[in-house]
Amino acid sequence: MGKRLLVVSAQLSHCRTVLRLFDDPAMFVYTKQYGLGTEEEDIFIRCLSVLSNMADQLYYPCEHIAWAADAKVLQVDATRWWTLSTALWVLSLLLGVIRSLWTALKLRQKLWNPTGAFTSQLPRSKRRAMEARMWSEVLTLLSNLADLANAVHWLPQGVLWAGHFPPWLVGLMGTISSLLSMYQAARAGGTAEADSSR
């Protein structure tokens, strides 16, 4: 079972790597539009997002070079570029975990008062929207944690738990992350479709 999960995870990971070859323009446009996040109300989230965007912007070309080296398109040391891209991935995931946790906790504070009851002042539609966003952040948090566990595992040995995961656990973490990402994408698509039909 562990080997099967690892195969599924590896194939999904390879698919995502190839698809990310086309993500550079979109990532650049997003980073440029976000800028320093002046429209973000929470300065802590703004700082996390700017750092995360920088890590992601550097991650993409590093991963592309590593992929090209594995495919024998470029004659460079693939291991060095995979290590660099993985380190940037770890940084981006760690920032993402902190951002999702912070956002989810902030939303929870707005939704529930100190006694644990719903905040009655909020309109029902706004409360539902905040609940949906909070659970979206929780799912993102779980997905990032699963990816972070694997990302650290793929770093050079000697860094935390790098290289210590058994194959079944690597496959399980990767599969969980992929399934959560696909669920969120499908959920977001369904929400957008429902909004457009109103």
Side-chain angles (χ1 to χ4, degrees):
M1 185 63 180
K3 290 181 179 179
R4 290 174 183 175
L5 284 173
L6 188 59
V7 169
V8 171
S9 174
Q11 291 299 319
L12 289 172
S13 177
H14 179 69
C15 175
R16 290 159 72 179
T17 299
V18 173
L19 289 174
R20 278 195 294 268
L21 292 171
F22 307 98
D23 284 348
D24 295 79
M27 185 65 218
F28 178 75
V29 170
Y30 173 78
T31 302
K32 185 179 178 182
Q33 288 177 345
Y34 190 85
L36 296 177
T38 52
E39 297 181 1
E40 190 74 60
E41 295 180 2
D42 192 323
I43 190 169
F44 184 60
I45 292 294
R46 182 194 307 178
C47 293
L48 289 175
S49 297
V50 170
L51 290 173
S52 180
N53 288 343
M54 291 174 61
D56 288 341
Q57 200 67 60
L58 292 171
Y59 166 79
Y60 281 97
C62 291
E63 186 189 52
H64 298 342
I65 293 172
W67 172 84
D70 276 349
K72 308 302 181 184
V73 176
L74 295 177
Q75 298 300 317
V76 295
D77 183 6
T79 302
R80 180 181 300 177
W81 286 101
W82 278 122
T83 300
L84 181 56
S85 66
T86 303
L88 289 167
W89 186 30
V90 168
L91 176 59
S92 177
L93 289 169
L94 186 58
L95 292 169
V97 165
I98 298 171
R99 182 174 54 199
S100 292
L101 182 60
W102 179 270
T103 303
L105 289 175
K106 285 288 186 180
L107 288 168
R108 188 180 185 280
Q109 286 178 355
K110 292 179 181 179
L111 282 167
W112 286 283
N113 60 35
T115 63
F118 272 117
T119 304
S120 57
Q121 295 91 338
L122 289 173
R124 189 172 183 179
S125 59
K126 187 174 182 180
R127 189 170 67 238
R128 283 184 174 178
M130 290 175 66
E131 285 178 343
R133 188 185 171 198
M134 186 183 73
W135 289 116
S136 177
E137 292 293 344
V138 170
L139 290 175
T140 300
L141 173 64
L142 294 175
S143 177
N144 283 342
L145 284 173
D147 276 335
L148 181 61
N150 270 355
V152 173
H153 168 76
W154 294 119
L155 287 172
Q157 287 202 5
V159 180
L160 298 176
W161 57 85
H164 287 82
F165 277 8
W168 69 266
L169 186 55
V170 176
L172 179 62
M173 291 294 103
T175 303
I176 289 173
S177 172
S178 296
L179 290 176
L180 285 172
S181 297
M182 287 188 289
Y183 172 74
Q184 283 185 282
R187 186 180 179 188
T191 302
E193 186 178 343
D195 290 341
S196 64
S197 62
R198 288 177 183 174

Short mmCIF file of all heavy atoms in Angstrom, two decimals, residues 48-96:
data_model
loop_
_atom_site.label_atom_id
_atom_site.label_comp_id
_atom_site.label_asym_id
_atom_site.label_seq_id
_atom_site.Cartn_x
_atom_site.Cartn_y
_atom_site.Cartn_z
N LEU A 48 4.21 38.70 5.52
CA LEU A 48 4.28 37.28 5.17
C LEU A 48 4.05 37.07 3.68
O LEU A 48 4.76 36.27 3.04
CB LEU A 48 3.24 36.49 5.97
CG LEU A 48 3.48 36.30 7.47
CD1 LEU A 48 2.29 35.60 8.10
CD2 LEU A 48 4.75 35.50 7.72
N SER A 49 3.08 37.78 3.12
CA SER A 49 2.73 37.62 1.71
C SER A 49 3.85 38.11 0.80
O SER A 49 4.16 37.48 -0.22
CB SER A 49 1.43 38.37 1.40
OG SER A 49 0.35 37.83 2.13
N VAL A 50 4.47 39.24 1.15
CA VAL A 50 5.57 39.76 0.33
C VAL A 50 6.74 38.79 0.34
O VAL A 50 7.33 38.49 -0.72
CB VAL A 50 6.01 41.15 0.85
CG1 VAL A 50 7.32 41.59 0.18
CG2 VAL A 50 4.92 42.19 0.59
N LEU A 51 7.10 38.28 1.53
CA LEU A 51 8.19 37.30 1.62
C LEU A 51 7.85 36.02 0.87
O LEU A 51 8.71 35.44 0.19
CB LEU A 51 8.48 36.99 3.09
CG LEU A 51 9.13 38.11 3.92
CD1 LEU A 51 9.21 37.72 5.38
CD2 LEU A 51 10.52 38.44 3.38
N SER A 52 6.59 35.58 0.98
CA SER A 52 6.16 34.37 0.29
C SER A 52 6.21 34.55 -1.23
O SER A 52 6.65 33.64 -1.96
CB SER A 52 4.73 34.01 0.72
OG SER A 52 4.29 32.85 0.06
N ASN A 53 5.80 35.70 -1.70
CA ASN A 53 5.86 35.99 -3.14
C ASN A 53 7.29 35.98 -3.65
O ASN A 53 7.57 35.48 -4.75
CB ASN A 53 5.20 37.33 -3.45
CG ASN A 53 3.69 37.28 -3.31
OD1 ASN A 53 3.09 36.21 -3.30
ND2 ASN A 53 3.07 38.44 -3.20
N MET A 54 8.20 36.53 -2.86
CA MET A 54 9.62 36.54 -3.24
C MET A 54 10.16 35.11 -3.32
O MET A 54 10.87 34.76 -4.27
CB MET A 54 10.42 37.37 -2.25
CG MET A 54 10.14 38.86 -2.31
SD MET A 54 10.98 39.78 -0.98
CE MET A 54 12.71 39.41 -1.35
N ALA A 55 9.82 34.30 -2.32
CA ALA A 55 10.28 32.90 -2.31
C ALA A 55 9.72 32.14 -3.50
O ALA A 55 10.44 31.38 -4.17
CB ALA A 55 9.88 32.23 -1.00
N ASP A 56 8.43 32.33 -3.79
CA ASP A 56 7.79 31.65 -4.93
C ASP A 56 8.40 32.11 -6.25
O ASP A 56 8.60 31.29 -7.17
CB ASP A 56 6.29 31.93 -4.93
CG ASP A 56 5.56 31.20 -3.82
OD1 ASP A 56 6.12 30.22 -3.28
OD2 ASP A 56 4.44 31.62 -3.47
N GLN A 57 8.66 33.41 -6.37
CA GLN A 57 9.21 33.95 -7.61
C GLN A 57 10.59 33.37 -7.91
O GLN A 57 10.94 33.13 -9.06
CB GLN A 57 9.31 35.48 -7.51
CG GLN A 57 9.40 36.19 -8.86
CD GLN A 57 8.13 36.06 -9.67
OE1 GLN A 57 7.06 36.47 -9.27
NE2 GLN A 57 8.24 35.47 -10.85
N LEU A 58 11.35 33.11 -6.85
CA LEU A 58 12.69 32.51 -7.02
C LEU A 58 12.58 30.99 -7.20
O LEU A 58 13.41 30.38 -7.88
CB LEU A 58 13.56 32.82 -5.81
CG LEU A 58 13.96 34.29 -5.62
CD1 LEU A 58 14.63 34.49 -4.27
CD2 LEU A 58 14.89 34.73 -6.75
N TYR A 59 11.57 30.39 -6.59
CA TYR A 59 11.40 28.94 -6.64
C TYR A 59 11.18 28.43 -8.05
O TYR A 59 11.78 27.43 -8.47
CB TYR A 59 10.23 28.53 -5.74
CG TYR A 59 9.74 27.12 -5.95
CD1 TYR A 59 10.42 26.04 -5.41
CD2 TYR A 59 8.60 26.87 -6.72
CE1 TYR A 59 9.97 24.74 -5.61
CE2 TYR A 59 8.14 25.57 -6.93
CZ TYR A 59 8.83 24.53 -6.36
OH TYR A 59 8.39 23.25 -6.58
N TYR A 60 10.31 29.10 -8.79
CA TYR A 60 9.94 28.62 -10.12
C TYR A 60 11.13 28.43 -11.05
O TYR A 60 11.31 27.33 -11.61
CB TYR A 60 8.89 29.55 -10.75
CG TYR A 60 7.49 29.32 -10.24
CD1 TYR A 60 6.96 30.10 -9.22
CD2 TYR A 60 6.69 28.31 -10.76
CE1 TYR A 60 5.67 29.89 -8.74
CE2 TYR A 60 5.40 28.09 -10.29
CZ TYR A 60 4.91 28.89 -9.27
OH TYR A 60 3.64 28.66 -8.80
N PRO A 61 11.97 29.45 -11.27
CA PRO A 61 13.11 29.22 -12.18
C PRO A 61 14.08 28.16 -11.68
O PRO A 61 14.66 27.42 -12.49
CB PRO A 61 13.78 30.60 -12.26
CG PRO A 61 13.28 31.37 -11.09
CD PRO A 61 11.91 30.85 -10.81
N CYS A 62 14.26 28.08 -10.35
CA CYS A 62 15.16 27.05 -9.81
C CYS A 62 14.62 25.65 -10.11
O CYS A 62 15.38 24.75 -10.51
CB CYS A 62 15.33 27.23 -8.30
SG CYS A 62 16.25 28.70 -7.82
N GLU A 63 13.31 25.47 -9.93
CA GLU A 63 12.71 24.17 -10.22
C GLU A 63 12.77 23.86 -11.71
O GLU A 63 13.03 22.71 -12.11
CB GLU A 63 11.26 24.13 -9.75
CG GLU A 63 10.63 22.75 -9.90
CD GLU A 63 9.13 22.75 -9.65
OE1 GLU A 63 8.43 23.58 -10.27
OE2 GLU A 63 8.66 21.91 -8.87
N HIS A 64 12.57 24.87 -12.55
CA HIS A 64 12.63 24.66 -14.00
C HIS A 64 14.03 24.18 -14.42
O HIS A 64 14.17 23.27 -15.24
CB HIS A 64 12.31 25.95 -14.75
CG HIS A 64 10.92 26.47 -14.50
ND1 HIS A 64 9.92 25.69 -13.97
CD2 HIS A 64 10.38 27.69 -14.71
CE1 HIS A 64 8.81 26.41 -13.86
NE2 HIS A 64 9.07 27.62 -14.28
N ILE A 65 15.05 24.81 -13.84
CA ILE A 65 16.44 24.42 -14.16
C ILE A 65 16.71 23.00 -13.69
O ILE A 65 17.33 22.20 -14.41
CB ILE A 65 17.43 25.42 -13.53
CG1 ILE A 65 17.29 26.80 -14.19
CG2 ILE A 65 18.88 24.91 -13.70
CD1 ILE A 65 18.10 27.89 -13.51
N ALA A 66 16.23 22.67 -12.48
CA ALA A 66 16.42 21.31 -11.97
C ALA A 66 15.72 20.29 -12.85
O ALA A 66 16.28 19.23 -13.16
CB ALA A 66 15.89 21.23 -10.53
N TRP A 67 14.49 20.60 -13.26
CA TRP A 67 13.74 19.71 -14.14
C TRP A 67 14.45 19.54 -15.48
O TRP A 67 14.57 18.42 -16.00
CB TRP A 67 12.34 20.27 -14.37
CG TRP A 67 11.54 19.53 -15.41
CD1 TRP A 67 10.80 18.40 -15.24
CD2 TRP A 67 11.45 19.86 -16.80
NE1 TRP A 67 10.24 18.02 -16.43
CE2 TRP A 67 10.61 18.89 -17.41
CE3 TRP A 67 11.97 20.89 -17.58
CZ2 TRP A 67 10.31 18.92 -18.77
CZ3 TRP A 67 11.67 20.92 -18.94
CH2 TRP A 67 10.84 19.94 -19.52
N ALA A 68 14.95 20.65 -16.03
CA ALA A 68 15.65 20.60 -17.31
C ALA A 68 16.94 19.79 -17.20
O ALA A 68 17.33 19.10 -18.15
CB ALA A 68 15.94 22.01 -17.80
N ALA A 69 17.60 19.88 -16.04
CA ALA A 69 18.83 19.10 -15.84
C ALA A 69 18.50 17.60 -15.77
O ALA A 69 19.22 16.77 -16.34
CB ALA A 69 19.52 19.55 -14.56
N ASP A 70 17.42 17.25 -15.10
CA ASP A 70 17.00 15.84 -15.04
C ASP A 70 16.63 15.31 -16.42
O ASP A 70 16.87 14.14 -16.74
CB ASP A 70 15.80 15.69 -14.11
CG ASP A 70 16.21 15.56 -12.65
OD1 ASP A 70 17.42 15.39 -12.38
OD2 ASP A 70 15.32 15.64 -11.78
N ALA A 71 16.03 16.18 -17.23
CA ALA A 71 15.60 15.78 -18.57
C ALA A 71 16.74 15.87 -19.59
O ALA A 71 16.51 15.66 -20.79
CB ALA A 71 14.44 16.67 -19.03
N LYS A 72 17.96 16.19 -19.11
CA LYS A 72 19.16 16.31 -19.96
C LYS A 72 19.05 17.44 -20.99
O LYS A 72 19.74 17.43 -22.01
CB LYS A 72 19.43 14.98 -20.70
CG LYS A 72 19.49 13.75 -19.82
CD LYS A 72 20.55 13.87 -18.73
CE LYS A 72 20.61 12.61 -17.87
NZ LYS A 72 21.58 12.76 -16.75
N VAL A 73 18.19 18.40 -20.69
CA VAL A 73 18.09 19.58 -21.56
C VAL A 73 19.23 20.55 -21.25
O VAL A 73 19.78 21.20 -22.14
CB VAL A 73 16.72 20.28 -21.37
CG1 VAL A 73 16.64 21.56 -22.20
CG2 VAL A 73 15.59 19.32 -21.74
N LEU A 74 19.58 20.66 -19.96
CA LEU A 74 20.69 21.50 -19.53
C LEU A 74 21.76 20.63 -18.88
O LEU A 74 21.46 19.68 -18.17
CB LEU A 74 20.20 22.55 -18.52
CG LEU A 74 19.22 23.62 -19.01
CD1 LEU A 74 18.81 24.52 -17.86
CD2 LEU A 74 19.85 24.46 -20.13
N GLN A 75 23.00 20.97 -19.13
CA GLN A 75 24.12 20.24 -18.55
C GLN A 75 24.59 20.93 -17.27
O GLN A 75 25.64 21.56 -17.23
CB GLN A 75 25.26 20.14 -19.57
CG GLN A 75 24.91 19.40 -20.84
CD GLN A 75 24.49 17.96 -20.57
OE1 GLN A 75 25.12 17.26 -19.77
NE2 GLN A 75 23.45 17.49 -21.24
N VAL A 76 23.77 20.83 -16.24
CA VAL A 76 24.11 21.41 -14.93
C VAL A 76 23.84 20.37 -13.86
O VAL A 76 23.21 19.34 -14.12
CB VAL A 76 23.30 22.70 -14.65
CG1 VAL A 76 23.66 23.81 -15.64
CG2 VAL A 76 21.80 22.42 -14.68
N ASP A 77 24.31 20.67 -12.64
CA ASP A 77 24.11 19.75 -11.52
C ASP A 77 22.67 19.85 -11.03
O ASP A 77 22.28 20.83 -10.39
CB ASP A 77 25.08 20.12 -10.39
CG ASP A 77 24.99 19.16 -9.22
OD1 ASP A 77 24.26 18.15 -9.33
OD2 ASP A 77 25.64 19.41 -8.19
N ALA A 78 21.87 18.83 -11.34
CA ALA A 78 20.45 18.85 -10.97
C ALA A 78 20.27 18.85 -9.46
O ALA A 78 19.37 19.52 -8.94
CB ALA A 78 19.74 17.66 -11.59
N THR A 79 21.11 18.11 -8.75
CA THR A 79 20.96 17.99 -7.29
C THR A 79 21.04 19.35 -6.61
O THR A 79 20.25 19.65 -5.70
CB THR A 79 22.05 17.06 -6.72
OG1 THR A 79 21.96 15.78 -7.35
CG2 THR A 79 21.88 16.89 -5.23
N ARG A 80 22.00 20.16 -7.04
CA ARG A 80 22.17 21.48 -6.43
C ARG A 80 20.93 22.34 -6.63
O ARG A 80 20.46 23.01 -5.70
CB ARG A 80 23.39 22.17 -7.02
CG ARG A 80 23.66 23.55 -6.46
CD ARG A 80 24.87 24.18 -7.12
NE ARG A 80 26.08 23.38 -6.91
CZ ARG A 80 27.28 23.68 -7.43
NH1 ARG A 80 27.40 24.72 -8.22
NH2 ARG A 80 28.32 22.92 -7.18
N TRP A 81 20.36 22.29 -7.84
CA TRP A 81 19.18 23.11 -8.13
C TRP A 81 17.93 22.57 -7.45
O TRP A 81 17.06 23.34 -7.02
CB TRP A 81 18.97 23.21 -9.64
CG TRP A 81 19.97 24.12 -10.28
CD1 TRP A 81 21.10 23.75 -10.96
CD2 TRP A 81 19.96 25.55 -10.26
NE1 TRP A 81 21.80 24.86 -11.37
CE2 TRP A 81 21.11 25.98 -10.96
CE3 TRP A 81 19.09 26.50 -9.72
CZ2 TRP A 81 21.42 27.32 -11.14
CZ3 TRP A 81 19.38 27.84 -9.90
CH2 TRP A 81 20.53 28.24 -10.59
N TRP A 82 17.83 21.24 -7.31
CA TRP A 82 16.70 20.67 -6.58
C TRP A 82 16.77 21.05 -5.10
O TRP A 82 15.75 21.34 -4.47
CB TRP A 82 16.67 19.14 -6.71
CG TRP A 82 16.05 18.63 -7.97
CD1 TRP A 82 16.64 17.84 -8.92
CD2 TRP A 82 14.72 18.87 -8.44
NE1 TRP A 82 15.77 17.58 -9.95
CE2 TRP A 82 14.58 18.20 -9.68
CE3 TRP A 82 13.64 19.60 -7.94
CZ2 TRP A 82 13.40 18.23 -10.42
CZ3 TRP A 82 12.47 19.63 -8.69
CH2 TRP A 82 12.35 18.95 -9.90
N THR A 83 17.98 21.04 -4.54
CA THR A 83 18.15 21.44 -3.13
C THR A 83 17.75 22.89 -2.92
O THR A 83 17.05 23.23 -1.96
CB THR A 83 19.61 21.23 -2.69
OG1 THR A 83 19.97 19.85 -2.83
CG2 THR A 83 19.80 21.64 -1.24
N LEU A 84 18.19 23.77 -3.83
CA LEU A 84 17.85 25.18 -3.73
C LEU A 84 16.35 25.41 -3.87
O LEU A 84 15.74 26.16 -3.09
CB LEU A 84 18.61 25.98 -4.79
CG LEU A 84 18.38 27.50 -4.81
CD1 LEU A 84 18.71 28.11 -3.45
CD2 LEU A 84 19.22 28.15 -5.91
N SER A 85 15.75 24.74 -4.85
CA SER A 85 14.31 24.91 -5.06
C SER A 85 13.52 24.34 -3.88
O SER A 85 12.50 24.91 -3.46
CB SER A 85 13.86 24.23 -6.37
OG SER A 85 14.01 22.84 -6.31
N THR A 86 13.99 23.24 -3.31
CA THR A 86 13.31 22.65 -2.15
C THR A 86 13.41 23.56 -0.94
O THR A 86 12.45 23.71 -0.18
CB THR A 86 13.90 21.27 -1.81
OG1 THR A 86 13.80 20.41 -2.97
CG2 THR A 86 13.16 20.62 -0.66
N ALA A 87 14.58 24.19 -0.75
CA ALA A 87 14.75 25.13 0.37
C ALA A 87 13.80 26.31 0.22
O ALA A 87 13.19 26.76 1.21
CB ALA A 87 16.19 25.61 0.43
N LEU A 88 13.64 26.82 -0.99
CA LEU A 88 12.71 27.92 -1.24
C LEU A 88 11.26 27.44 -1.04
O LEU A 88 10.41 28.19 -0.54
CB LEU A 88 12.89 28.45 -2.66
CG LEU A 88 14.18 29.23 -2.91
CD1 LEU A 88 14.40 29.43 -4.41
CD2 LEU A 88 14.14 30.58 -2.20
N TRP A 89 11.00 26.20 -1.41
CA TRP A 89 9.67 25.61 -1.21
C TRP A 89 9.35 25.52 0.28
O TRP A 89 8.24 25.86 0.71
CB TRP A 89 9.64 24.23 -1.86
CG TRP A 89 8.31 23.56 -1.85
CD1 TRP A 89 7.07 24.14 -1.89
CD2 TRP A 89 8.07 22.14 -1.81
NE1 TRP A 89 6.08 23.18 -1.88
CE2 TRP A 89 6.66 21.96 -1.83
CE3 TRP A 89 8.90 21.03 -1.78
CZ2 TRP A 89 6.08 20.69 -1.81
CZ3 TRP A 89 8.32 19.77 -1.75
CH2 TRP A 89 6.93 19.61 -1.77
N VAL A 90 10.34 25.07 1.07
CA VAL A 90 10.15 24.98 2.52
C VAL A 90 9.84 26.35 3.10
O VAL A 90 8.92 26.51 3.92
CB VAL A 90 11.42 24.39 3.19
CG1 VAL A 90 11.35 24.58 4.71
CG2 VAL A 90 11.57 22.91 2.86
N LEU A 91 10.60 27.37 2.67
CA LEU A 91 10.37 28.73 3.16
C LEU A 91 8.97 29.21 2.80
O LEU A 91 8.25 29.77 3.66
CB LEU A 91 11.43 29.67 2.57
CG LEU A 91 11.27 31.16 2.90
CD1 LEU A 91 11.31 31.38 4.41
CD2 LEU A 91 12.33 31.98 2.19
N SER A 92 8.57 28.99 1.55
CA SER A 92 7.24 29.42 1.10
C SER A 92 6.14 28.70 1.87
O SER A 92 5.15 29.32 2.29
CB SER A 92 7.09 29.16 -0.40
OG SER A 92 5.79 29.50 -0.84
N LEU A 93 6.31 27.39 2.08
CA LEU A 93 5.30 26.62 2.81
C LEU A 93 5.21 27.05 4.27
O LEU A 93 4.11 27.16 4.83
CB LEU A 93 5.64 25.13 2.74
CG LEU A 93 5.44 24.45 1.38
CD1 LEU A 93 6.07 23.06 1.39
CD2 LEU A 93 3.96 24.36 1.04
N LEU A 94 6.36 27.30 4.88
CA LEU A 94 6.38 27.74 6.28
C LEU A 94 5.66 29.08 6.43
O LEU A 94 4.85 29.27 7.35
CB LEU A 94 7.82 27.85 6.77
CG LEU A 94 8.02 28.17 8.26
CD1 LEU A 94 7.35 27.11 9.13
CD2 LEU A 94 9.51 28.27 8.57
N LEU A 95 5.93 30.00 5.51
CA LEU A 95 5.24 31.29 5.53
C LEU A 95 3.74 31.11 5.29
O LEU A 95 2.91 31.78 5.91
CB LEU A 95 5.84 32.21 4.46
CG LEU A 95 7.28 32.69 4.72
CD1 LEU A 95 7.85 33.36 3.47
CD2 LEU A 95 7.34 33.64 5.91
N GLY A 96 3.40 30.17 4.39
CA GLY A 96 2.00 29.89 4.11
C GLY A 96 1.28 29.30 5.31
O GLY A 96 0.11 29.63 5.57
#
